[in-house]
Amino acid sequence: MTGAILRAFGRALLSQMHVRILRLSVIPFVLSVLIWVVILWLFLQPMFNGLQQFFLAHDGFKISSETLTFFGLAALKTVIVPLIAMWALLPLMILTALIFIGIAAMPWIVKHVGGRHFPTLEMHNGGTLAGSMWVAFSSFLLFALMWFLTLPLCLIPPLTFIVQPVLWGWLTARVMGYDALAAHATEEERLALLQAHRWPLFAIGTIAGAMGAIPTMLWVGGALSVAFFPFLAGVAIWLYVMVFIFTGLWFEYYCLDALAKYRVNTPVNRVPIQQL
């Protein structure tokens, strides 16, 4: 299992450097930036004002100041409102990048990986665009709920670096797992593979989630610097797109390798599938 994950990682890393794959980041990046320019222009200041009023009405500044001071983060108390606003908007930014990757990049990733490394693997088109969108939206709703419920844990530094990657791992395993097998596997094969390889896929997603910590810090860090916020937000969006493309490649290599072995082991009768 570990060998299959590492092998898929190496292949994804090499493919990430391919010119065709690098070009894939342009369209999702541009679409995400356009969407977020509109969102931030229309809603960011009203969101700041609403949070400011809420804090004033509920003695939030005193409570947050005492809490941050307790954890040795007193310097953040002056930017607590924009910090919370940017952190709350983060799931929506992840969703937009994920959707645009699924629409604009995953079909090319499937074609690139399948055509170059699995040319003899028959395509059965067991998934659909509507199915992909449903998996993405339903998974995101649960992800966003858990994100907001675990926000207080972000004040405890060690837990910040555990909770967020785990949530990412669950989200990407569901969304990328479906997309990676949609074109090549039948519905029966896809369900069997996702069930049998749920822990390896979760591990891949969690590692990718840890990689997503860098753009997350840039995005939230925009709250600390108004002057550099547009630049930091743009870089964060681009890095998210690159992380998702790499994650898509990693899932694609792992899942198609698993599918190829599944078909070799069960050419006729669908017996229980073996772990890689």
Side-chain angles (χ1 to χ4, degrees), residues 3 6 16 20 25 37 46 48 58-59 84 93 143 149 164 174 242 256 258:
L6 293 176
Q16 180 82 9
R20 181 183 300 175
S25 66
V37 165
F48 282 174
H58 296 84
D59 208 17
I84 290 176
M93 192 184 78
F143 169 82
L149 289 177
Q164 304 305 324
R174 280 180 57 88
M242 296 302 293
L256 291 191

Side-chain angles (χ1 to χ4, degrees), residues 125-258:
N125 297 305
T128 63
L129 178 60
S132 176
M133 295 294 289
W134 166 249
V135 170
F137 274 111
S138 60
S139 300
F140 171 76
L141 290 178
L142 292 174
F143 169 82
L145 176 62
M146 293 305 299
W147 180 279
F148 286 114
L149 289 177
T150 57
L151 272 180
L153 298 179
C154 295
L155 295 174
I156 307 174
L159 293 180
T160 301
F161 301 104
I162 297 174
V163 174
Q164 304 305 324
V166 167
L167 290 177
W168 270 66
W170 177 84
L171 177 67
T172 53
R174 280 180 57 88
V175 176
M176 296 289 187
Y178 182 98
D179 290 341
L181 292 167
H184 286 81
T186 64
E187 183 178 2
E188 178 190 21
E189 289 172 333
R190 172 170 50 79
L191 293 174
L193 286 166
L194 293 179
Q195 173 64 25
H197 296 275
R198 59 189 181 278
W199 292 114
L201 295 177
F202 175 76
I204 293 173
T206 302
I207 295 171
M211 294 165 55
I214 297 175
T216 296
M217 292 301 102
L218 283 174
W219 171 257
V220 177
L224 307 178
S225 175
V226 176
F228 289 101
F229 171 67
F231 173 75
L232 292 176
V235 173
I237 291 172
W238 180 75
L239 286 176
Y240 269 124
V241 168
M242 296 302 293
V243 167
F244 275 128
I245 288 178
F246 175 78
T247 305
L249 285 165
W250 196 356
F251 271 94
E252 194 67 32
Y253 277 113
Y254 183 90
C255 288
L256 291 191
D257 190 34

Side-chain angles (χ1 to χ4, degrees), residues 1 39-40 42 46 49 52 85 93 116-118 155 170 177 185 197 200 216 229 232 248 254 263 274:
M1 181 181 71
I39 291 175
L40 295 177
L42 294 177
N49 295 340
Q52 187 92 8
M93 192 184 78
R116 289 171 63 90
H117 297 278
F118 301 92
L155 295 174
W170 177 84
H197 296 275
T216 296
F229 171 67
L232 292 176
Y254 183 90
R263 289 180 179 173
Q274 301 295 316

